[in-house]
Amino acid sequence: MSANGVASNLYPFGAASVGEAPERDDALVSAIVAAVELTGAHTGSVFLLSGDHRSLVVAASCGSPPSLLSGWRRIPVNSGLPVAEAYRSGRMVHLAGAEETMRRFPQLSVALPYPFGSASVPVRAGERTFGTMAVVWTARPDGTGLSRAQRRKLRSAADRLGTTLAGLRARGALGEYDARTAPVVVPLPSAPVIRVGLFDWNLGTGALTADDELCAIFGMPPREFDGRAATLAAMIEPADLPGFRSAARAAVQERHVLAHCLRIRDGRGGHHTVELWGRVPESPDDLQASAHLVGAVLDSGSRMAAVAAIERLADGFFALSPDGRVAYANHSLKDLLRVRQDELLGRRPWDVLPWLADPVYEDRYRAALVSQQPVSFLVRRPPATWLVFSLHPGAQGMTGWVAPVRQPVPADTGPGATLAEGGPPASWSPPPAAPRVGSLYRVLTLGSALTEAVTAHEVFEAVAEQLLPAFGGQKLAIAVVEERRLRLLDQRGYSKRFLARFEGTPLHARLPVTDALTSGAPLFVESREELLETYPGIMVSQSNSWAFLPLIASNRPVGVCLLGFDDVHRFPDEERGVLTALGGLIAQALERARLYDAEFALARGLQNALLPHRLPTLPGLDVTGRYLPGTRGMDIGGDWYDVIPTGDEVALIVGDVEGHNVAAAAAMGQLRSAVRAFATAGHRPSDVVANTNRLHMDLDPALLASCCYARLRPRSGVVRIVRAGHPLPLLRLPDGRAEVLDVPGGPLLGIDTAAHFPESELRLVPGSVLALYTDGLIERRGSDIDSDIDRLRASLARMGGGRLEDLADGLLRDASRSADRADDIALLLTEYAPPPQTATKPASAHAGSGPPP
């Protein structure tokens, strides 16, 4: 089987699911593991560029899983973070420690105020940058970062990944990638902690087949083992043998699983304990099967003894996996935390215990994880019992210790107060208040997400994704102000029927949402009784606590954000302050997005009104046009096409105004009207373009434009072409060949009033297809214009020969698949198909200059 076949069979039902790319994932895993090993880092991540080119999204992580740093799951390309800076600059960003991080990237330092070093390097191949690779290591006492050799190796690892991704992209095997694609998460490389040896034991003959690992567990070189069970039995503690043999005979006779512990002598007077598991194999020959045991010997080293020792201690001990979930908890822990083991295992402590839900405790865990240094802090278990937590991080997770505090704790001690390593001192003094890093992290995280939101609904999605999990809410609604009334923008968790009752509520109504908005002060309601006492008779949803956040921007009410909690929720002062600050961020983003939505609706309406809704039917010609919006800016622009009958001729025009906004659409409308006026007045093609240029200059244009104008006489097939800074037209011949029409051109419209625009003439062969287009159809990042045009020429030759509509759809489909496309596209195809009696004899289709016939 090929490597691709093996990879695909690792996926359910033998094939990768939609959107998955096994070869890409394998390359990501290999690269990030190599980067971590080469640099000695404890965490590494690969960020790939999203399909819309606006974000760098975590594609692979080694060490710390992305869920622990969810605020950095998606990083805007234009953000002030090292990962984005490395992508934009194409250079490594190396930060030796906390001091350099604070100096160069204060936002990162505020959000992750822990001692660590990091390096971010672009992942690229040639001129194409696919993303960024980043590693994080424990801060070193001398403040040094990676050595020159380590930096060189990191760059090499990133370059190898870039080359691999480029090869996959060329073969169409790279797959699509966006924020919805789950990242590949791999653990840090480590030596196996448990050894497993396999055996097949014939009880009748005493023959035993053992693999190399089993021989190693018994301390015997594999080549010296003679294949006899007695040889291995001689290495077992004699006192264990009678019981073991009895258990083995019972397992064979009763056909049940054998599970037994044995002590293996080490030759130095000591021994270590192993577990032996075996069973009678399934076999058609029952007599033969009954004489056999097959199974495994498990050697966990000193782990069994360590677990037994910890279980005897009065203090609580636990182990956390790399994603913060409890993997082990001793029996004493359940008494200290007052929670059952089955409730704790497999979950994060702060998700299970309400008194650990303050973000400051999760931040203590994140501090230990990122810095890889021990952290100790105090926690108050209600009603008044203080516990000391100590976290000790490692490559494969974290060990925790919990013990009661036996010294008096001052009443003003804040949650998460830090301690010196080793626990509380004998002589107690009040520790400083813990910095509310978790709160700052929430603000920065939402702020980062809102910078990516463009439309009002994208703002809502960003708020819902960040606010609900951050504060434990279950319901969210945002209403906006329109004509002094509230209109629902979007909601999550509420019944649409319930919210419909409040649609169109005037601002003067006495309701919590309107009171918060008109007063400009947030309203926090912690119980249904409190709500009904203040607002008697109000309809209440299934929630039990609410936060009503006024959205005020530029001293104007923009809307209101309603956060609902199914259970009773207390709002401490700090949380109220954070929610109030977040309300200001949401308001500014929402105001910006609503202005964008309004401008977009205006521009899109203007553009739709100006583009031709239906092309004229012309004898001897088959004409079709297409327009495709861009993928950046407002998804609108100044590209246009038009077909204008002028007596016994027809004018064909494709133009492009720079920009993607209302101004571009308005300028396009002016130019389209000018071309129509001059064309229908009978001006020759060069004069039409020259007059349009002068008119554009007279209107004091802020934007430049290009166009390609062609006038075709269907009776003769003669076409005259004028270009103004526009890409060269293409011609597909009846025999399937396609060529670039190298016609001379003038400058862009809007540069020089006296500009000259040369006119070229050629004669079309019946069955020829003339293609006029804008640069959005061909431009690719990192490619020159000549190569782009030649690629379109090849596509035109390959796809032609059928219906003109299908050809236009195929050319646009090719362009829309490109991850590099950002500009809008206009395309106009004209097939010269005169009736047989008027068709001219075949003639050359090469361009030439001359007077009109």
Side-chain angles (χ1 to χ4, degrees):
M1 181 181 292
S2 68
N4 289 346
V6 172
S8 66
N9 284 328
L10 294 176
Y11 286 80
F13 308 106
S17 304
V18 176
E20 292 179 330
E23 290 183 86
R24 179 198 66 201
D25 293 347
D26 291 347
L28 291 172
V29 169
S30 176
I32 197 58
V33 170
V36 169
E37 290 181 329
L38 291 170
T39 59
H42 62 75
T43 297
S45 298
V46 174
F47 295 79
L48 292 183
L49 187 65
S50 61
D52 59 11
H53 290 194
R54 297 193 304 180
S55 306
L56 294 166
V57 185
V58 175
S61 178
C62 178
S64 303
S67 59
L68 289 177
L69 302 177
S70 59
W72 314 112
R73 170 81 173 87
R74 185 175 58 185
I75 296 177
V77 169
N78 60 354
S79 70
L81 295 174
V83 169
E85 174 66 24
Y87 173 82
R88 293 193 306 267
S89 67
R91 299 177 179 177
M92 176 184 289
V93 177
H94 179 262
L95 304 172
E99 183 177 344
E100 187 175 5
T101 303
M102 173 63 81
R103 177 169 49 84
R104 296 178 57 186
F105 296 93
Q107 181 184 5
L108 175 64
S109 189
V110 170
L112 298 174
Y114 320 123
F116 66 91
S118 68
S120 302
V121 60
V123 176
R124 59 186 177 185
E127 298 298 321
R128 177 178 295 278
T129 303
F130 292 92
T132 308
M133 177 184 289
V135 293
V136 176
W137 60 86
T138 304
R140 294 160 186 166
D142 58 2
T144 60
L146 299 181
S147 66
R148 289 186 178 181
Q150 288 175 316
R151 297 186 209 182
R152 184 171 61 252
K153 291 176 181 178
L154 181 60
R155 291 191 191 95
S156 298
D159 289 344
R160 285 194 298 271
L161 176 60
T163 301
T164 302
L165 296 180
L168 294 175
R169 181 178 181 274
R171 294 192 286 109
L174 184 57
E176 298 181 357
Y177 198 88
D178 58 28
R180 294 169 296 181
T181 307
V184 179
V185 181
V186 293
L188 286 169
S190 65
V193 295
I194 297 178
R195 295 189 296 170
V196 179
L198 305 179
F199 67 85
D200 184 340
W201 180 15
N202 188 321
L203 276 71
T205 65
L208 188 144
T209 302
D211 67 359
D212 291 353
E213 192 64 33
L214 187 137
C215 292
I217 292 173
F218 276 78
M220 175 178 294
R223 63 181 179 275
E224 297 181 8
F225 178 53
D226 58 8
R228 296 187 310 116
T231 302
L232 297 182
M235 308 183 75
I236 297 175
E237 189 71 28
D240 294 349
L241 285 174
F244 168 63
R245 288 169 179 155
S246 177
R249 287 192 295 269
V252 169
Q253 293 169 3
E254 301 173 11
R255 288 182 172 270
H256 63 68
V257 174
L258 169 65
H260 204 84
C261 288
L262 296 169
R263 291 174 293 170
I264 298 176
R265 293 183 294 179
D266 59 11
R268 301 188 304 272
H271 62 258
H272 63 281
T273 303
V274 299
E275 296 179 62
L276 186 146
W277 293 76
R279 65 175 178 84
V280 176
E282 299 291 337
S283 173
D285 187 348
D286 287 339
L287 290 177
Q288 181 180 2
S290 63
H292 275 262
L293 274 179
V294 295
V297 173
L298 281 68
D299 181 10
S300 58
S302 59
R303 288 165 60 95
M304 294 173 59
V307 170
I310 290 176
E311 289 294 339
R312 292 190 288 267
L313 296 176
D315 291 344
F317 287 88
F318 60 94
L320 299 180
S321 62
D323 65 351
R325 300 181 186 275
V326 177
Y328 165 77
N330 72 341
H331 283 79
S332 298
L333 187 70
K334 66 183 179 67
D335 297 326
L336 287 170
L337 303 186
R338 294 183 177 174
V339 63
R340 297 199 314 269
Q341 281 182 311
D342 59 340
E343 294 177 320
L344 197 58
L345 293 175
R347 301 180 65 188
R348 298 183 178 95
W350 46 88
D351 292 335
V352 178
L353 302 167
W355 43 275
L356 279 179
D358 192 305
V360 72
Y361 299 126
E362 183 181 353
D363 181 71
R364 291 287 177 262
Y365 170 73
R366 188 179 293 110
L369 180 73
V370 176
S371 68
Q372 288 291 290
Q373 296 178 2
V375 171
S376 297
F377 54 92
L378 288 176
V379 179
R380 185 173 65 88
R381 188 196 69 199
T385 301
W386 284 89
L387 303 174
V388 58
F389 277 67
S390 184
L391 303 178
H392 297 260
Q396 303 300 321
M398 198 171 297
T399 299
W401 166 68
V402 182
V405 177
R406 295 174 175 83
Q407 291 90 355
V409 178
D412 58 351
T413 301
T418 56
L419 302 175
E421 186 177 355
S427 177
W428 187 267
S429 60
R436 302 299 187 179
V437 177
S439 304
L440 294 174
Y441 180 76
R442 303 298 186 198
V443 174
L444 290 171
T445 298
L446 180 59
S448 176
L450 291 176
T451 60
E452 291 189 70
V454 176
T455 68
H457 284 283
E458 287 180 358
V459 169
F460 175 84
E461 289 299 322
V463 173
E465 289 176 9
Q466 299 294 332
L467 222 58
L468 290 177
F471 294 94
Q474 290 75 41
K475 298 179 176 65
L476 179 74
I478 292 182
V480 296
V481 176
E482 292 181 0
E483 298 180 349
R484 301 288 298 170
R485 291 179 178 271
L486 288 177
R487 305 290 182 186
L488 180 66
L489 171 66
D490 211 337
Q491 63 87 25
R492 184 174 293 182
Y494 280 103
S495 162
K496 293 183 179 179
R497 186 175 180 182
F498 173 78
L499 291 176
R501 303 173 184 175
F502 299 96
E503 182 67 9
T505 298
L507 296 188
H508 59 75
R510 190 168 188 276
L511 293 170
V513 287
T514 52
D515 283 358
L517 187 58
T518 54
S519 68
L523 179 61
F524 300 97
V525 181
E526 297 184 340
S527 67
R528 298 168 71 91
E529 294 75 17
E530 181 183 346
L531 181 69
L532 292 172
E533 181 181 349
T534 309
Y535 300 92
I538 188 174
M539 290 181 292
V540 182
S541 68
Q542 298 300 315
S543 301
N544 281 286
S545 297
W546 300 264
F548 302 91
L549 307 178
L551 306 180
I552 310 293
S554 304
N555 294 321
R556 293 188 307 105
V558 174
V560 63
C561 177
L562 169 58
L563 184 61
F565 299 82
D566 289 347
D567 299 323
V568 173
H569 182 86
R570 304 302 177 191
F571 298 94
D573 291 343
E574 182 194 10
E575 188 168 292
R576 296 183 181 217
V578 172
L579 285 170
T580 302
L582 292 178
L585 290 178
I586 297 169
Q588 294 174 18
L590 188 60
E591 182 184 44
R592 182 184 68 247
R594 293 188 70 197
L595 289 174
Y596 172 90
D597 288 342
E599 186 176 356
F600 174 80
L602 172 63
R604 177 54 62 86
L606 175 62
Q607 187 176 46
N608 289 339
L610 293 174
L611 286 171
H613 293 172
R614 183 173 54 189
L615 296 178
T617 301
L618 303 167
L621 296 178
D622 186 7
V623 183
T624 187
R626 294 289 187 274
Y627 175 78
L628 188 66
T631 60
R632 70 182 178 193
M634 295 190 68
D635 290 347
I636 60 167
D639 288 20
W640 90 95
Y641 63 87
D642 207 353
V643 179
I644 310 166
T646 58
D648 57 352
E649 294 184 323
V650 59
L652 310 167
I653 177 74
V654 164
D656 182 1
V657 179
E658 64 176 338
H660 300 83
N661 48 34
V662 174
M668 177 267 281
Q670 293 174 338
L671 291 175
R672 179 172 180 263
S673 299
V675 171
R676 267 193 167 266
F678 293 129
T680 54
H683 293 280
R684 59 184 294 161
S686 57
D687 292 337
V688 169
V689 177
N691 292 338
T692 301
N693 176 58
R694 283 192 288 271
L695 178 63
H696 191 48
M697 296 287 289
D698 290 343
L699 294 174
D700 189 23
L703 302 173
L704 300 177
S706 69
C707 73
C708 185
Y709 179 91
R711 181 170 292 186
L712 173 61
R713 178 169 292 184
R715 294 182 62 87
S716 64
V718 172
V719 60
R720 287 169 287 159
I721 301 176
V722 178
R723 286 193 312 118
H726 203 79
L728 295 168
L730 302 177
L731 185 68
R732 187 183 190 278
L733 301 175
D735 61 7
R737 292 181 296 114
E739 58 184 42
V740 180
L741 299 179
D742 192 12
V743 296
L748 291 166
L749 303 179
I751 290 180
D752 182 8
T753 306
H756 171 65
F757 299 93
E759 185 177 309
S760 302
E761 178 185 303
L762 60 136
R763 189 181 298 271
L764 301 183
V765 175
S768 300
V769 177
L770 178 67
L772 307 181
Y773 55 93
T774 55
D775 55 8
L777 185 64
I778 58 171
E779 284 186 342
R780 301 290 184 273
R781 186 170 59 177
S783 180
D784 62 271
I785 188 68
D786 292 336
S787 299
D788 294 336
I789 293 176
D790 189 65
R791 184 170 51 250
L792 178 60
R793 179 202 60 77
S795 297
L796 183 64
R798 184 180 71 256
M799 297 181 185
R803 295 175 59 247
L804 199 64
E805 299 285 336
D806 295 337
L807 175 59
D809 292 339
L811 294 176
L812 254 67
R813 190 162 49 246
D814 264 11
S816 62
R817 287 173 179 165
S818 171
D820 293 332
R821 188 182 76 82
D823 205 356
D824 48 343
I825 296 172
L827 172 66
L828 185 63
L829 299 179
T830 305
E831 182 175 9
Y832 178 48
Q837 64 270 22
T838 61
T840 60
K841 64 180 181 179
S844 170
H846 289 285
S849 298

